[in-house]
Amino acid sequence: MKRFINYLVILLLLVGNISEVLGQQQNFLTVSGNKLYDTTGKEVRLTGVNWFGFETSLYQPHGIWSRDMKSVLQQIKDLGFNTIRVPWCNEMLNPGASININSYGTDPYTGISPMNEEETTVSTPIELLDIFVRWCQENDMKIVLDNHSRAADGFLNEAVWYTPQYSEERWINDWVFIADRYKDFSAVVGMDLNNEPHGSTWGDSNPATDWNKAAERCGNAVLAANPNVLIIVEGVGEFEGNSYWWGGQLMGAKQYPIQLSDPSKLMYSAHEYGPEVAQQDWFTASDFPQNMPGLWTDNFHYLYEEGTSPLFVGEFGIKDQDAFGGISYTWFTEFTDFMGGIYSWTFWTMNPNSGDTGGILQDDWTTVNQWKLDVLSPYFAPLIPNVIGGTGNLPPNARFTSNITSGDAPLTVSFDASTSSDPDGDNLTFSWNFGDGTTATGESISHLFTDVGEYQVILTVSDGTLSDTETLTITVNDPDVNTPVVIANISTDANGGVAPTTINFDASGSTVSDGSALTYDWDFGDGSAGSGVTINHEFINAGIYNVVLTVSNTDGISDTASTTIVITEPNNGGDCSFGAPLSNPLPTIANVAYTKMYILGSGGPDLSNVTNFTINWDLQNNGLWQFSMNTNDGVPSWWNDLKNNVTSQNFNSSQPSITLSGTGFPNLDGAYSATIDGDNFALVSKTGAFTIYFSNSNVAPNCESLIKDPFTEGKIEIKAYPNPVTDRLIVKSQEVLNGARVDLVDVTGRIIRTTSVSSKRNEVEINTSDLNSGLYFIKIHHNKVTTTKRIVKK
């Protein structure tokens, strides 16, 4: 009988455990309209951070050489994020891919010692990712896996979703492998199919470049392996002539939407950055930042407005509050406010070693850049549990804000804990410790600090069983101690000029409240610096320079001011960019008389005695009927039939040209490119020294504004010289071009040669000795944008 009772107890225990497992449900997410829901039907948002490294040649999250991996994950959760976007590369799945992690030391955040004790036991990247996923599964953190590149560190060089080494089939098969491996872990909630396919098209049915169709093929294959996971599809770089950030151009989804086997698993994703990644013309527009919501709506937000899809901003980030005279910070705060409480997002990045944006963590891989969190935290969403229906209780999330953090005594501060939450929906209680020996309870409360000092205010939020805390420092100052206030001020005698030009700067308008001595330090934005209350500086090269003045008193209290100086290239030749054939071939011109002749550049003929210029030709037969000028002084004659002086002509080619000889006009004889500029006609000297511009307009073309072009397409500054080019071309940038790709392209769009920059230099030399005469373009692909410069080969 006793034995029977023992068996019965064991059976009941087994049944109880099975019932608990069966009662639990993995909490995957689903799309409905423009909202995201969990398994229970609760609306949720993913608000997280990127932690990169698996996509690099290390095949592991960066920073675990000085931190414990699980400790960083815990810190991410403690900061209030509920999601981690994890970039990875296909190369890490190669049979020979291996890792070697050392276990040593004490983690500065959690104190665990030795660090990475479990991580050191694995030897392949995928096994390390398994540990990463398992921790997130057990700690209610969501993961978006982002296929960042095929090759390790290859994301800047990969414009589409496949490469010669990694076919589309391999790309899809790797995704299916990943989807199947983690199909039972709802922590892995989304698959971001390909990072920034900027060289792809959208909707043109070209199988080699049509990204939306490739995304459908891959997404449906992933859903066959794991029907529960979200398929996240990023934008491209350009659609029908409209360029935007790589990954941020989603205009094509309106006309050519992604078609998945389960539409409720589709989520569109955009990337968005400020001027620290690349200067764009919208950041310097007169109506910035009011112009930004329109741009965001045109490129991706319309998907939310029209109820097509919730939006996931997989990357956005900022490095320096003061960058570009504060424009970067303005963009950051405007964009987070625009996303508000409706977008899902992952900030780029947790790592401090992102060159463009830095990270949430500072260079010690532990200390937090609090000012970034201060902007992000009001838009945090609660944790999303990975298991629904279990018997376990999840802890609440303590969050609070204050109306001020410092001031003179006595100081009254208002605290609000309404952003605290509980993943189980439990009722919460709120307990406050103000650090001055007093306590209180309640969700929102005010407190009077009477004494000078720093106070650690601690909020404890409890669901009755489990609790969580949040801490904030309040500084109370002595009102009788007056801290000097330094205010920096810049005035200039000009806001720019033609290179080279000297600008005079004056900081005498700067002030300090106590009248103490000040020092003045200048950063001219071109790699040079200076000091003094007044100073002048010569800007050698064309560009846009952010000049920063730092004014400091003897106690080290300082303030900064900045101003923008725009330096343009000189008008040395003046072909006014008319050398580019605007029609291929030129249209037939019949009975067209021009009454105005403008000689642009230097060394051209004197046509001041010409009253009109008449053109009449039959393009089909490539023959001139009339090509003549009338003169008003009888020199060389009242009528000059230039057709008789044409020694060669070709208007039926991609580069229409004509050669004149024996015209009788000094400097008129020679070879020209012929082109049409609207209703005007231009002969561009093949020497590049001058252009003869025939028009009926009383206003000559503004060559200076046309030629300066230091920021083609509003991207980075580049110079290409000599131009016209002979045997070699030098391409130079104000920025370091490490990681850039430089393409030489002909007028048909064909890439003739490519140079990749793998070192920290800002200059590239290209051999052009074998090029035929004509028009070409230099395209630089760098930091998520493409810059184009026109060149002419003699």
Side-chain angles (χ1 to χ4, degrees):
M1 184 66 176
K2 184 176 180 181
R3 179 177 298 175
F4 171 76
I5 292 174
N6 288 339
Y7 284 145
L8 180 60
V9 170
I10 293 171
L11 178 60
L12 289 173
L13 288 173
L14 287 173
V15 170
N17 289 337
I18 293 171
S19 297
E20 181 178 343
V21 172
L22 293 177
Q24 295 179 349
Q25 181 180 4
Q26 290 297 313
N27 193 16
F28 287 97
L29 306 183
T30 299
V31 168
S32 178
N34 59 11
K35 299 186 184 303
L36 196 60
Y37 296 93
D38 73 359
T39 303
T40 68
K42 179 181 178 181
E43 184 180 349
V44 296
R45 289 188 302 119
L46 305 173
T47 54
V49 66
N50 287 264
W51 186 10
F52 68 76
F54 278 109
E55 86 286 11
T56 70
S57 57
L58 292 179
Y59 307 138
Q60 60 186 261
H62 282 190
I64 62 174
W65 50 76
S66 61
R67 288 290 304 275
D68 179 81
M69 186 175 78
K70 299 189 190 74
S71 176
V72 177
L73 292 173
Q74 184 65 54
Q75 188 175 13
I76 291 172
K77 180 180 179 181
D78 291 345
L79 290 174
F81 298 107
N82 68 13
T83 303
I84 308 172
R85 182 172 180 260
V86 182
W88 64 279
C89 65
N90 297 80
E91 186 178 305
M92 67 173 263
L93 299 181
N94 287 349
S98 63
I99 57 175
N100 182 21
I101 300 173
N102 295 321
S103 177
Y104 69 95
T106 301
D107 185 85
Y109 184 74
T110 59
I112 189 171
S113 181
M115 297 185 292
N116 298 308
E117 190 170 14
E118 180 184 9
E119 289 79 355
T120 194
T121 64
V122 300
S123 59
T124 64
I126 192 65
E127 291 175 306
L128 184 63
L129 184 57
D130 291 343
I131 297 173
F132 193 110
V133 168
R134 198 162 56 245
W135 189 97
C136 290
Q137 178 70 27
E138 295 168 355
N139 289 273
D140 292 305
M141 291 291 288
K142 293 297 186 185
I143 295 172
V144 171
L145 291 176
D146 152 48
N147 191 199
H148 214 70
S149 61
R150 309 302 81 77
D153 299 308
F155 64 97
L156 281 177
N157 301 318
E158 298 175 359
V160 293
W161 60 93
Y162 61 89
T163 68
Q165 292 76 31
Y166 295 88
S167 65
E168 176 180 305
E169 181 182 15
R170 163 70 188 273
W171 171 62
I172 293 177
N173 288 341
D174 284 352
W175 261 127
V176 170
F177 166 77
I178 292 286
D180 181 70
R181 190 178 187 90
Y182 300 125
K183 65 184 178 183
D184 296 323
F185 295 84
S186 64
V188 183
V189 75
M191 309 295 198
D192 193 340
L193 297 184
N194 187 57
N195 185 71
E196 299 179 351
H198 56 279
S200 304
T201 56
W202 192 298
D204 66 353
S205 299
N206 181 347
T209 60
D210 197 344
W211 166 235
N212 62 308
K213 290 300 180 184
E216 290 174 2
R217 292 191 292 271
C218 184
N220 286 328
V222 169
L223 289 177
N226 180 359
N228 298 308
V229 75
L230 291 173
I231 302 300
I232 297 175
V233 180
E234 296 183 27
V236 290
E238 181 179 348
F239 177 74
E240 295 184 348
N242 296 291
S243 297
Y244 201 62
W245 293 112
W246 291 1
Q249 174 51 273
L250 278 164
M251 287 183 178
K254 187 182 189 74
Q255 186 176 354
Y256 307 101
I258 299 293
Q259 304 288 333
L260 292 182
S261 57
D262 183 354
S264 72
K265 293 300 177 181
L266 171 64
M267 193 176 190
Y268 287 103
S269 175
H271 289 185
E272 172 70 22
Y273 280 104
E276 288 171 298
V277 170
Q279 177 64 278
Q280 308 285 1
D281 54 10
W282 49 80
F283 295 125
T284 57
S286 60
D287 57 347
F288 175 84
Q290 288 76 23
N291 59 331
M292 298 307 296
L295 276 172
W296 296 327
T297 298
D298 290 345
N299 286 288
F300 49 82
H301 183 65
Y302 78 91
L303 291 164
Y304 181 88
E305 285 189 335
E306 297 176 3
T308 302
S309 170
L311 284 170
F312 173 67
V313 178
E315 292 183 19
F316 69 107
I318 180 174
K319 187 173 188 177
D320 182 2
Q321 282 179 287
D322 299 322
F324 292 83
I327 290 176
S328 187
Y329 186 72
T330 299
W331 160 82
F332 180 39
T333 55
E334 290 287 331
F335 185 58
T336 51
D337 184 60
F338 182 83
M339 292 191 294
I342 61 176
Y343 274 35
S344 290
W345 47 262
T346 46
F347 182 81
W348 186 274
T349 173
M350 190 69 177
N351 311 48
N353 59 330
S354 172
D356 292 328
T357 66
I360 294 295
L361 297 181
Q362 297 182 22
D363 289 341
D364 63 2
W365 283 93
T366 304
T367 308
V368 170
N369 282 305
Q370 187 61 43
W371 65 270
K372 296 186 182 184
L373 279 179
D374 289 343
V375 176
L376 295 171
S377 59
Y379 307 105
F380 282 164
L383 288 177
I384 305 171
N386 287 325
V387 175
I388 298 294
T391 59
N393 178 38
L394 295 172
N397 303 303
R399 300 286 180 268
F400 73 94
T401 58
S402 66
N403 63 327
I404 53 176
T405 58
S406 65
D408 292 342
L411 181 67
T412 299
V413 183
S414 297
F415 300 98
D416 181 5
S418 60
T419 54
S420 300
S421 61
D422 187 88
D424 305 309
D426 296 333
N427 292 325
L428 299 176
T429 59
F430 304 85
S431 302
W432 301 87
N433 184 329
F434 297 110
D436 59 357
T438 61
T439 60
T441 60
E443 183 178 81
S444 298
I445 199 165
S446 293
H447 182 69
L448 175 64
F449 296 89
T450 58
D451 298 327
V452 174
E454 284 193 350
Y455 300 94
Q456 298 296 313
V457 178
I458 302 173
L459 166 67
T460 302
V461 176
S462 174
D463 64 1
T465 303
L466 300 175
S467 63
D468 187 30
T469 61
E470 174 91 324
T471 303
L472 178 68
T473 300
I474 300 296
T475 302
V476 182
N477 302 315
D478 186 345
D480 297 326
V481 178
N482 295 319
T483 301
V485 176
V486 176
I487 299 176
N489 179 271
I490 299 176
S491 63
T492 64
D493 63 342
N495 293 322
V498 178
T501 193
T502 298
I503 305 293
N504 294 302
F505 297 90
D506 185 352
S508 60
S510 303
T511 60
V512 58
S513 59
D514 64 356
S516 58
L518 295 174
T519 58
Y520 307 84
D521 296 303
W522 299 86
D523 181 346
F524 296 108
D526 60 356
S528 58
S531 60
V533 64
T534 59
I535 195 170
N536 61 63
H537 181 68
E538 183 180 29
F539 294 89
I540 304 298
N541 299 315
I544 298 179
Y545 300 97
N546 187 44
V547 178
V548 179
L549 164 68
T550 301
V551 180
S552 307
N553 74 349
T554 54
D555 296 325
I557 299 172
S558 64
D559 186 38
T560 61
S562 63
T563 188
T564 299
I565 301 297
V566 178
I567 305 298
T568 60
E569 290 184 8
N571 179 17
N572 293 324
D575 75 352
C576 287
S577 298
F578 301 123
L582 303 182
S583 183
N584 184 16
L586 291 179
T588 295
I589 293 182
N591 299 319
V592 176
Y594 299 101
T595 59
K596 302 293 180 182
M597 292 77 177
Y598 301 102
I599 308 301
L600 312 174
S602 58
D606 180 5
L607 300 182
S608 59
N609 67 326
V610 177
T611 59
N612 60 50
F613 176 86
T614 304
I615 308 173
N616 194 345
W617 73 56
D618 176 6
L619 180 64
Q620 183 174 356
N621 297 316
N622 199 28
L624 288 169
W625 293 356
Q626 188 176 4
F627 193 68
S628 59
M629 291 192 294
N630 288 347
T631 59
N632 59 13
D633 60 359
V635 180
S637 66
W638 70 271
W639 173 271
N640 191 293
D641 188 356
L642 296 178
K643 180 169 65 71
N644 295 327
N645 303 108
V646 173
T647 59
S648 67
Q649 58 179 302
N650 188 353
F651 300 115
N652 263 327
S653 72
S654 61
Q655 296 182 22
S657 62
I658 189 169
T659 301
L660 302 174
S661 64
T663 63
F665 289 87
N667 299 331
L668 181 59
D669 293 351
Y672 299 87
S673 296
T675 188
I676 300 294
D677 175 36
D679 296 327
N680 309 307
F681 179 77
L683 294 177
V684 183
S685 170
K686 288 295 184 72
T687 67
F690 65 91
T691 293
I692 310 174
Y693 193 76
F694 301 96
S695 174
N696 287 311
S697 171
N698 290 323
V699 180
N702 186 348
C703 291
E704 185 144 322
S705 66
L706 289 171
I707 281 187
K708 62 182 182 185
D709 194 23
F711 281 85
T712 305
E713 299 180 4
K715 307 298 188 300
I716 64 171
E717 178 200 2
I718 60 172
K719 293 185 68 176
Y721 59 93
N723 195 6
V725 65
T726 53
D727 293 333
R728 68 183 189 125
L729 177 71
I730 305 297
V731 179
K732 189 172 184 179
S733 166
Q734 286 290 329
E735 297 182 18
V736 173
L737 295 175
N738 189 24
R741 189 181 82 244
V742 182
D743 294 337
L744 177 63
V745 182
D746 67 14
V747 292
T748 69
R750 180 174 61 92
I751 297 177
I752 299 173
R753 57 178 55 95
T754 295
T755 301
S756 294
V757 184
S758 58
S759 60
K760 292 183 177 180
R761 54 195 174 110
N762 66 345
E763 189 173 291
V764 178
E765 180 175 330
I766 299 175
N767 180 12
T768 55
S769 60
D770 58 342
L771 295 185
N772 295 324
S773 298
L775 179 70
Y776 298 87
F777 299 92
I778 290 294
K779 289 183 176 288
I780 295 186
H781 310 276
H782 185 49
N783 285 342
K784 305 178 183 291
V785 292
T786 300
T787 303
T788 304
K789 190 79 172 178
R790 183 180 63 83
I791 65 168
V792 176
K793 173 67 188 296
K794 285 185 178 181

